[in-house]
Amino acid sequence: VIRVHKPTTTPAILLTDGIAARDVHCAAYEDAERRGHVFQVRRFSEVYRHPDVKSALITAQHGKCCFCESRVYEDGDVEHFRPKAGCKQSSNARMERPGYYWLAYDWENLFLCCSACNSRYKGNLFPLADGNIRAQCHRDTALLAAELPLLIDPSRDDPTDHIGFNRYDACPVNDSLRGRTTIRIMKLNRRAIRDRRMDKWQTIQVYRQILTREDTLAKTEDGRKVLAEIKQHLTSWQEDAAEFAAMCRATLRSS
Ligand SMILES: [Zn+2]
């Protein structure tokens, strides 16, 4: 997980079609409330995954999944941080409905996510430190602000406060509950991701080994070329755009 800086300008489609769709849900909620019916959104508009929204997220997140940091670009899904249709505090808990229907088209609530993180692991899970403090309808503005999500919000939180690395294994920082919960729910140490972090970690170790012989290598033209290439890799792997930048930064900081 690395910090996501979304552009402050919301994609226009969310302000037009998105707000119109949100208004329909809110009116339906109030109608159900008046009639004493159970409210459930029958169908969400697809506007949240409009190509403009997706491409804005791809740019903001450098094509990477907001949780596992693997590159997905167009293969990624547009994910809701707060689930739109219904949410669960844990995998065994009952589904609480409605979900955050009024945030289904909210720019702040949308992220690019790989389909494994989105569908297989996160799904409807949205645990809170206190499950009783939860916004349940579009009028619950104060409750929404008071919620304490246990999953790290990549655009509001600094993930490095919560998740660090022991070699290529993600682990909680200072026993952070939010770090631990995010690693567990999003399976950030699943083999498919961990193996790819391991490959990069091992290459970093080889590079470091070579750099211990920097003085000798710098004496020849070829050696200088190798050193420059290695240093260029080590720099670019720590940039926001790099896959697994969080691990690379943590590894290279702990020298
Ligand atoms: Zn992912």
Side-chain angles (χ1 to χ4, degrees):
V1 187
I2 69 159
R3 186 78 187 261
V4 170
H5 298 281
K6 275 190 234 176
T8 41
T9 327
T10 303
I13 190 82
L14 294 177
L15 298 174
T16 53
D17 301 22
I19 289 193
R22 174 190 187 272
D23 287 349
V24 169
H25 300 322
C26 295
Y29 179 90
E30 292 185 356
D31 185 55
E33 200 175 36
R34 262 193 307 273
R35 294 163 190 263
H37 292 170
V38 175
F39 170 69
Q40 202 173 321
V41 178
R42 298 222 177 279
R43 206 179 141 270
F44 282 94
S45 158
E46 301 274 282
V47 67
Y48 63 83
R49 58 163 80 121
H50 186 278
D52 289 353
V53 177
K54 194 159 175 181
S55 70
L57 288 173
I58 290 174
T59 304
Q61 295 179 210
H62 311 280
K64 296 191 294 180
C65 169
C66 70
F67 291 112
C68 72
E69 264 207 90
S70 60
R71 281 210 188 99
V72 283
Y73 295 105
E74 286 74 13
D75 288 349
D77 298 336
V78 175
E79 193 260 340
H80 294 85
F81 182 64
R82 285 176 162 80
K84 61 188 187 309
C87 52
K88 288 166 113 184
Q89 294 294 318
S90 70
S91 44
N92 304 321
R94 68 182 176 88
M95 183 81 87
E96 299 174 48
R97 291 187 193 277
Y100 299 86
Y101 60 88
W102 68 100
L103 301 177
Y105 320 102
D106 187 299
W107 181 227
E108 301 250 302
N109 196 39
L110 302 176
F111 289 94
L112 183 74
C113 202
C114 75
S115 58
C117 282
N118 184 23
S119 317
R120 187 174 309 223
Y121 304 116
K122 184 162 179 296
N124 291 299
L125 287 169
F126 192 67
L128 299 168
D130 180 347
N132 294 314
I133 301 176
R134 174 169 108 71
Q136 311 223 20
C137 83
H138 56 284
R139 294 186 302 255
D140 292 346
T141 316
L143 265 176
L144 186 70
E147 283 186 354
L148 296 170
L150 290 180
L151 288 176
I152 292 166
D153 180 339
S155 68
R156 287 174 192 267
D157 301 310
D158 183 350
T160 58
D161 290 344
H162 305 282
I163 298 180
F165 289 88
N166 178 10
R167 308 208 302 176
Y168 34 82
D169 288 320
C171 52
V173 170
N174 297 326
D175 207 27
S176 158
L177 174 63
R178 301 185 62 202
R180 194 163 7 109
T181 309
T182 305
I183 293 167
R184 177 174 51 81
I185 288 181
M186 303 313 304
K187 300 269 187 298
L188 294 183
N189 289 320
R190 60 185 189 261
R191 206 160 78 172
I193 298 299
R194 183 179 178 270
D195 274 11
R196 289 166 63 201
R197 284 200 306 255
M198 182 177 74
D199 288 346
K200 211 154 193 181
W201 184 88
Q202 285 172 339
T203 308
I204 290 174
Q205 305 315 308
V206 171
Y207 283 174
R208 277 178 149 172
Q209 203 58 44
I210 296 172
L211 287 176
T212 59
R213 295 189 289 119
E214 187 167 1
D215 292 350
T216 319
L217 285 164
K219 287 178 187 151
T220 67
E221 178 69 30
D222 283 350
R224 283 194 292 274
K225 224 184 259 175
V226 169
L227 287 171
E229 240 169 76
I230 286 178
K231 287 178 183 178
Q232 200 269 327
H233 273 162
L234 292 179
T235 304
S236 69
W237 288 356
Q238 294 180 77
E239 285 165 3
D240 284 350
E243 253 190 334
F244 315 123
M247 182 211 67
C248 293
R249 288 173 192 166
T251 303
L252 288 160
R253 237 181 280 127
S254 67
S255 42

